C-alpha cells in the first residue's frame, strides 16, 4: 500500500499536540486531499504526487502508557501511496484499532502501534517529528510522534 522514497524533508514544519482538545496538528497545514486513518489520526496525502504531507487528528492522552522509548533509526523521505485512491477519499487501517500508545515523558516521544515491529519495519521521517514504520509488504506498522505539547 505504501512505498518509501528517501529524500530531504522540509524542516520548517512542526507537529503540535493540543492537550485541551486532545489532538495533533501539523503546521503549516498543506494540501492533503487523500487521508489514511490510523485510529483517529489522519495521515494526509497529496493526490497529485501521492506523497505524504502531514498528520493531524484526535488522540486522547488518558490511555498513554508511561514507557521508556528510544525512537527508531529513521531516514528522511516521502511515503507514497502505492494504490489508487481518489481525491477526497479516506481509507482506514483496521489493524490500528487494537494499537496501544506508549509515551516517554523524559524525551517527549510517543509510539502508536501494534507489537514492537522494529525488526520487521523500515522507518521514515516524512514530516518533522513524525516517523512512520512500514513493513516489507508496504503496510503501516506504527507511528512515532514527537509533538510540541500546548
Amino acid at each position: 500500500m505504501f512505498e518509501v522514497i528517501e529524500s530531504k524533508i522540509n524542516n520548517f514544519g512542526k507537529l503540535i499536540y493540543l492537550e485541551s482538545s486532545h489532538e495533533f496538528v501539523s503546521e503549516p497545514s498543506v494540501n492533503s486531499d487523500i487521508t489514511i486513518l490510523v485510529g483517529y489520526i489522519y495521515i494526509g496525502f497529496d493526490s497529485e504526487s501521492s506523497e505524504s504531507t502531514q498528520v493531524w487528528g484526535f488522540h486522547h492522552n488518558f490511555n498513554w502508557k508511561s514507557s521508556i522509548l528510544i525512537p527508531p533509526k529513521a531516514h528522511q523521505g516521502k511515503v507514497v501511496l502505492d494504490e489508487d485512491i481518489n481525491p477526497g477519499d479516506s481509507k482506514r487501517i483496521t489493524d490500528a484499532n487494537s494499537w496501544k500508545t506508549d509515551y516517554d515523558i523524559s524525551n517527549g516521544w510517543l509510539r502508536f502501534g501494534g507489537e514492537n515491529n522494529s525488526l520487521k519495519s523500515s522507518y521514515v521521517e516524512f514530516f518533522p517529528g513524525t516517523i512512520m514504520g512500514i513493513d516489507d509488504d508496504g503496510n503501516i506498522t506504527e507511528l512515532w510522534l514527537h509533538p510540541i505539547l500546548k
Side-chain angles (χ1 to χ4, degrees):
M1 179 168 190
F2 302 97
E3 180 184 333
V4 174
I5 298 172
E6 287 191 44
S7 66
K8 292 288 182 193
I9 63 170
N10 178 351
N11 287 318
F12 297 110
K14 56 186 170 182
L15 180 65
I16 298 167
Y17 183 76
L18 302 172
E19 294 181 272
S20 61
S21 57
H22 310 288
E23 65 183 314
F24 291 103
V25 176
S26 292
E27 292 181 355
S29 180
V30 295
N31 181 47
S32 299
D33 55 350
I34 295 174
T35 55
I36 302 297
L37 190 58
V38 182
Y40 292 101
I41 299 173
Y42 291 91
I43 303 170
F45 289 82
D46 182 326
S47 64
E48 291 184 22
S49 64
S50 296
E51 295 174 1
S52 53
T53 56
Q54 62 193 338
V55 168
W56 73 95
F58 180 80
H59 195 73
H60 204 295
N61 60 0
F62 78 90
N63 61 352
W64 294 4
K65 180 182 168 197
S66 180
S67 300
I68 296 172
L69 296 175
I70 300 170
K73 187 172 183 87
H75 56 271
Q76 290 187 347
K78 302 171 185 172
V79 179
V80 178
L81 276 171
D82 199 15
E83 66 179 61
D84 287 331
I85 300 178
N86 294 321
D89 284 352
S90 183
K91 182 172 182 169
R92 180 180 290 276
I93 305 297
T94 56
D95 292 345
N97 294 336
S98 63
W99 288 3
K100 306 286 185 234
T101 302
D102 295 311
Y103 178 67
D104 190 333
I105 195 167
S106 67
N107 66 17
W109 277 99
L110 177 142
R111 179 190 170 274
F112 179 56
E115 297 299 318
N116 191 338
N117 294 292
S118 60
L119 298 177
K120 299 181 263 180
S121 296
S122 298
Y123 295 92
V124 59
E125 181 180 19
F126 65 93
F127 186 85
T130 308
I131 298 172
M132 188 184 307
I134 299 178
D135 68 15
D136 290 339
D137 295 325
N139 299 309
I140 298 174
T141 58
E142 58 194 330
L143 292 174
W144 285 79
L145 306 172
H146 193 251
I148 298 166
L149 301 179
K150 288 190 175 184

